[in-house]
Every structure is written in structure tokens, then in C-alpha cells.
Amino acid sequence: MYTVRLTVLSLFVTTVYGGKDKPVFSEEIKEIIQTVHDECVGKTGVSEEDITNCENGIFKEDPKLKCYMFCLMEEASLVDDDDTVDYDMLVSLIPEEYFERTSKMIFACKHLDTPDKDKCQGAFDVHKCSYEKDPDVS
């Protein structure tokens, strides 16, 4: 399960970092990322274009995209029985080389995922905010 969590975190980091400073992954990790991605695309019906656009800072207000982002967390077992994402656990999984930058982004945004929001909207808001918080993302 740790490998899946780390892999989903890697997918999250890749999308948030966009085209700049993208992490490099082993073939095994790439396969897991693809499997999780395919699972969440299948569950939500989100378009590949909408996912790719997020890497460029274009976050379409689409329920499918929002639920794709929640699905990534769910597939990594970072969601409890009440559909609450454990952002502290997410941050604890960040590899050292990305920890400072990524943890700052997540901690600056996790407050946007509130119990009064739809689970998909909360995950989307944190994801989008994380992208916007990093000043080096072009």
C-alpha cells in the first residue's frame, strides 16, 4: 500500500509541478501511476485533455475532473470512511527532494477542503490552490 500511496503522491506532485521540474520515475512507478490514472479515469469519465491542462494551470470547473482528483487520494488510501482526505498523511509521504516545496503548497491549501464541501470539490480546490501557491510554476 505504501508504494501505491507514494505513487499517487507522485502523480499529484507531477500535476502540481506542471511542465517545470517534473520528477523522474522508475518504470515500475510509471506503471503504477498509469494503473491508478486509468482506474480513476474509468471511474470518473474525465477527459485526458482536462487532466493534461491541469499541468499547465488550466483547471476546468468540471465534476469529472474534480472527482478524478478525489479518486487519486482514495486510491492511495488517503481517505477515511467519512470521505475526508488525510493531508497530513499525504505530506508524510513526500520524498525528501520534494518535501519542502510540496508540503508548503499542501499546507497552504488544505484548509480549502472543508466538511461542508462535496468531497470532489474539496480535493479539486486543494489541488488547484497547490498549483497556484508555487511561485516557480510557469
Side-chain angles (χ1 to χ4, degrees):
M1 186 54 63
Y2 179 77
T3 303
V4 173
R5 283 184 181 165
L6 186 58
T7 302
V8 170
L9 172 68
S10 300
L11 188 56
F12 178 86
V13 169
T14 300
T15 304
V16 170
Y17 274 42
K20 191 172 186 177
D21 298 329
K22 261 192 185 175
V24 177
F25 304 114
S26 69
E27 288 305 312
E28 178 186 9
I29 297 296
K30 286 179 185 178
E31 284 180 31
I32 296 170
I33 288 172
Q34 189 64 49
T35 300
V36 170
H37 167 79
D38 291 347
E39 179 74 21
C40 289
V41 167
K43 283 182 176 181
T44 64
V46 66
S47 76
E48 294 288 344
E49 180 181 11
D50 288 344
I51 296 167
T52 301
N53 283 340
C54 290
E55 295 176 17
N56 299 311
I58 302 165
F59 289 82
K60 183 178 177 182
E61 289 289 329
D62 177 56
K64 293 176 183 178
L65 178 61
K66 293 174 183 183
C67 286
Y68 170 82
M69 292 179 182
F70 179 80
C71 180
L72 295 177
M73 301 301 153
E74 193 172 41
E75 288 297 313
S77 298
L78 293 170
V79 178
D80 68 17
D81 292 339
D82 295 324
D83 290 331
T84 302
V85 176
D86 186 345
Y87 292 102
D88 293 325
M89 174 66 81
L90 175 66
V91 168
S92 76
L93 299 171
I94 299 171
E96 186 178 334
E97 64 266 31
Y98 305 112
F99 184 82
E100 185 176 342
R101 185 176 180 187
T102 306
S103 64
K104 282 182 184 179
M105 293 180 333
I106 293 169
F107 283 136
C109 298
K110 74 177 194 168
H111 70 279
L112 296 173
D113 190 358
T114 58
D116 61 316
K117 286 185 183 176
D118 170 79
K119 64 184 181 183
C120 298
Q121 184 67 51
F124 176 82
D125 289 347
V126 172
H127 202 102
K128 181 178 177 183
C129 173
S130 295
Y131 181 95
E132 293 169 350
K133 287 289 180 187
D134 191 315
D136 295 325
V137 175
S138 54

